[in-house]
Amino acid sequence: PENQDTDFTWAEFVRRNNDELVAGWGNLVNRTVSIAAKNFGAVPQPETIADADATLLARSAGAFATVGALVERSRFKAALAEVMAVVADANRYLSDQAPWKLKDDPARMATVLHTALQAIDDAKTLLTPFLPGSSSRVHAALGGGPAWAPMPQLVEVEETTAAGTPSYPVLTGDYTHTPRWTSVPLPVGRALSAPTPVFAKLDPSVVDEELARLVDGAA
């Protein structure tokens, strides 16, 4: 929290990784992309948009203003909670619509999967300030390629106009493909393939291992 003390525990770290990242966010990405890849091989074309579809799309698109305002005020915990709420809504939508049961209604299956994929793409962008590495992996899983949020680089610069002046470091990067802070429509027909897991589940033994390392380090 930004306005009070907080405690870090390895047990809570493992719980959040396994429950929120693996079972929540990672599972949403994996099962949605897997079903879409298996049944369509690409981002499907949506047909008639139902109320449930429109509600989720408005929810994920509207989160950019909310999360952006919180980040601007350095309310990072609240911002992250808002993004994870979008992820929870998308998971709930997918479970309610159950596209795996819609094989006899391919038009509806396509619409549900397109809606879920769009919400995932929005959540990926919303999570980029917090999880740039895994957001890049989600971008690749959505068929967008590996280039999404490259890490900045520290480079040494020498001023050619100041002879004898020592070089100095500059934090820079490739900003030619800077992502936009908004909901960008997924291109219909973009090829999809079976994804690899975005996150790895941690064994509870990690808690004891890390606590033992702390004890050894303090000895």
Side-chain angles (χ1 to χ4, degrees):
E2 296 82 16
N3 55 5
Q4 65 187 52
D5 292 338
T6 188
D7 291 324
F8 172 86
T9 67
W10 281 108
E12 181 66 2
F13 176 84
V14 170
R15 185 196 70 78
R16 284 182 175 271
N17 179 84
N18 292 349
D19 294 352
E20 297 181 11
L21 296 184
V22 178
W25 175 224
N27 184 53
L28 173 66
V29 174
N30 188 71
R31 62 175 177 163
T32 305
V33 175
S34 294
I35 297 171
K38 179 180 179 180
N39 289 277
F40 298 96
V43 176
Q45 172 69 53
E47 301 294 336
T48 303
I49 302 297
D51 289 344
D53 313 329
T55 297
L56 180 61
L57 293 174
R59 174 76 172 97
S60 63
F64 284 93
T66 303
V67 175
L70 289 168
V71 170
E72 287 179 351
R73 294 161 49 202
S74 299
R75 297 293 303 277
F76 305 118
K77 183 178 181 181
L80 189 54
E82 177 66 15
V83 182
M84 295 309 294
V86 172
V87 171
D89 289 342
N91 263 315
R92 191 175 305 109
Y93 166 86
L94 197 67
S95 295
D96 290 344
Q97 301 303 315
W100 49 88
K101 296 181 180 180
L102 297 173
K103 293 184 178 180
D104 294 333
D105 190 352
R108 180 58 189 158
M109 176 190 281
T111 301
V112 169
L113 289 172
H114 187 278
T115 300
L117 289 169
Q118 182 64 61
I120 289 170
D121 191 62
D122 290 345
K124 168 211 73 181
T125 304
L126 291 164
L127 282 168
T128 299
F130 307 97
L131 300 169
S134 59
S135 291
S136 293
R137 293 194 292 274
V138 173
H139 182 67
L142 293 171
W148 171 247
M151 297 302 291
Q153 298 176 335
L154 193 64
V155 299
E156 291 291 324
V157 175
E158 292 188 11
E159 292 285 356
T160 57
T161 57
T165 301
S167 62
Y168 55 91
V170 173
L171 188 65
T172 184
D174 179 8
Y175 304 113
T176 56
H177 299 90
T178 302
R180 290 187 293 162
W181 189 253
T182 187
S183 177
V184 178
L186 271 177
V188 172
R190 177 192 281 175
L192 297 174
S193 58
T196 56
V198 180
F199 301 100
K201 188 174 183 179
L202 297 177
D203 190 274
S205 63
V206 168
V207 176
D208 294 332
E209 292 171 2
E210 293 297 336
L211 290 178
R213 286 177 60 191
L214 288 175
V215 172
D216 293 340

